[in-house]
Amino acid sequence: MSSMGRDDVIWTVVVTLIAVTINPILKSLGLLPADVFSNLGISFPGQPQIVFGPLMAFLLLALFLKTGRAMVFPVIGFLRALSLSFVFPANVEHSGTLLAAIVAGAAAVMLLNNSRWARSHIWLSLLAGLYAGLYAAFNYLTTLVFGPAAQTAVILGSPLRTIGIVIGSFVLGMLLGFLACRLMRPVQAMVFDAPLPPRYGV
């Protein structure tokens, strides 16, 4: 595999910095989605994932399109989970963020191994939706397994709301993924523009 170009390195550094610093910055400003939702009277465990999941899906898909490297998902996902564990040490659900990134990374590898899928805005948008949906789903799963009983009771007590947040994250992730495909088209990696193999027998 060829080394990354200078602009790919810059893109990777910028996206990584956003991924690991956005929560600490918003927390210092008092603008975390959890605080905003709470002030609006609609607070619910895991609800901020409907904001952060699609946002990270957009950023990681854009970086994936720019570099053609599936590893951006698990590597940056790990760094983000690590950052969140320092900012919010009591919230064990951030391990779910890493699980989502690993699964999305595997899906990205599958896309790269199929040139038709890799050139499809639908499949690429589905990749973003998959990451965003799993971001919320795995965070809920790890909370249910390792989280405090009081928080688990709230989540299980409102299953429709929990499912709605997961589905909403998936849908928003897909929409932002499609936007990323459109925006990145002029600068995306050559791997996504590779000629399609001929269809024999046609």
Side-chain angles (χ1 to χ4, degrees), residues 21-151:
T21 64
I22 185 170
N23 285 77
I25 291 174
L26 290 177
K27 183 179 181 181
S28 66
L29 297 175
L31 295 176
L32 278 173
D35 298 330
V36 175
F37 287 136
S38 180
N39 291 335
L40 293 175
I42 53 175
S43 180
F44 185 77
Q47 192 166 267
Q49 311 313 328
I50 202 171
V51 176
F52 289 117
L55 173 62
M56 290 306 304
F58 171 80
L59 292 174
L60 291 179
L61 180 61
L63 183 59
F64 175 54
L65 290 170
K66 180 66 179 69
T67 64
R69 308 298 177 95
M71 285 300 293
V72 301
F73 284 96
V75 171
I76 297 179
F78 169 76
L79 294 175
R80 175 168 172 77
L82 187 64
S83 170
L84 291 174
S85 69
F86 283 105
V87 180
F88 310 103
N91 294 358
V92 297
E93 70 268 17
H94 297 311
S95 57
T97 301
L98 176 57
L99 292 175
I102 292 173
V103 174
V109 171
M110 293 176 62
L111 283 180
L112 291 176
N113 289 332
N114 188 311
S115 55
R116 297 186 189 280
W117 292 358
R119 294 180 60 178
S120 168
H121 284 189
I122 294 177
W123 281 106
L124 290 167
S125 299
L126 279 171
L127 172 60
L130 173 71
Y131 173 79
L134 291 180
Y135 190 103
F138 282 154
N139 280 352
Y140 276 125
L141 178 62
T142 52
T143 299
L144 292 175
V145 175
F146 303 108
Q151 194 173 46

Side-chain angles (χ1 to χ4, degrees), residues 145-157:
V145 175
F146 303 108
Q151 194 173 46
T152 298
V154 174
I155 294 172
L156 294 178

Side-chain angles (χ1 to χ4, degrees), residues 180-196:
C181 290
R182 289 297 186 92
L183 293 177
M184 296 304 297
R185 184 65 185 170
V187 295
Q188 69 186 35
M190 291 298 294
V191 65
F192 296 103
D193 289 317
L196 291 173

